[in-house]
Amino acid sequence: MSAVRFVMFVILLCSCGAQNPIQNIINALLNISEDPTEKLVRDTIRFAKEYDFIIIGAGSAGSVLANRLTEVADWQVLLLEAGQDEQFLTDIPLSASILEVTHYNWGYKAEKQANACINMTGGVCNWPSGKAVGGTSVINDLLYSRGNKYDYDEWKKLGNDGWSYRDVLPYFIKSERAVDMDDIDIDYHGTEGYLN
């Protein structure tokens, strides 16, 4: 079997939810240990006694937030990520479905619903959530999403001033670097930020 056919076969199996038959092969390709603590990123070996900011999760938002905060030289920032070191496959969008069945995914399941995930085992869908620097974008074709406009507006209605979509949109725009797009709406996307 050619390498391309093998990769496509693995991707097809992963996309269909067949996790166990190929888990060992995928882990071997990615050099992933069964012990999730063995491959933790240990960039910091000397911790400060206190920090101005502690950010939990080095996903798209956490990584950009940590980077922005460290621009102030006097601030101590600690960024914590539970995931393992990245591998070469984490930067290849085609490998996203493979990565969903590795330790790069928290492995959450959605709640059973009457009209969704009917053909899935037990009627429950997988709910991929990334566990790596880069967060879910690592296992989601390197995509980043902002969330639903109506959720932000609902938060404002519930009394959270400053959280409407109109309020947070400038921060989304400031964080984005959408430079490889042919048709960009500058009213909604930025080109100077860290997310690209």
Side-chain angles (χ1 to χ4, degrees), residues 11 88-100 138-139 141:
I11 290 170
F88 72 97
L89 284 178
T90 60
D91 292 332
I92 304 171
L94 185 61
S95 68
S97 58
I98 294 170
L99 296 171
E100 283 188 19
V138 169
I139 61 170
D141 298 311

Side-chain angles (χ1 to χ4, degrees), residues 88-134:
F88 72 97
L89 284 178
T90 60
D91 292 332
I92 304 171
L94 185 61
S95 68
S97 58
I98 294 170
L99 296 171
E100 283 188 19
V101 296
T102 68
H103 293 297
Y104 287 112
N105 185 358
W106 283 101
Y108 297 134
K109 303 286 184 184
E111 293 290 323
K112 187 172 182 175
Q113 300 177 45
N115 297 314
C117 308
I118 296 167
N119 287 337
M120 303 299 287
T121 304
V124 175
C125 280
N126 294 323
W127 195 270
S129 183
K131 186 166 66 166
V133 174

Side-chain angles (χ1 to χ4, degrees), residues 20-41:
N20 291 333
I22 58 172
Q23 186 71 53
N24 291 339
I25 295 170
I26 293 169
N27 285 348
L29 287 171
L30 293 173
N31 192 26
I32 294 175
S33 166
E34 286 300 313
D35 178 6
T37 63
E38 186 178 304
K39 296 278 186 175
L40 292 179
V41 176

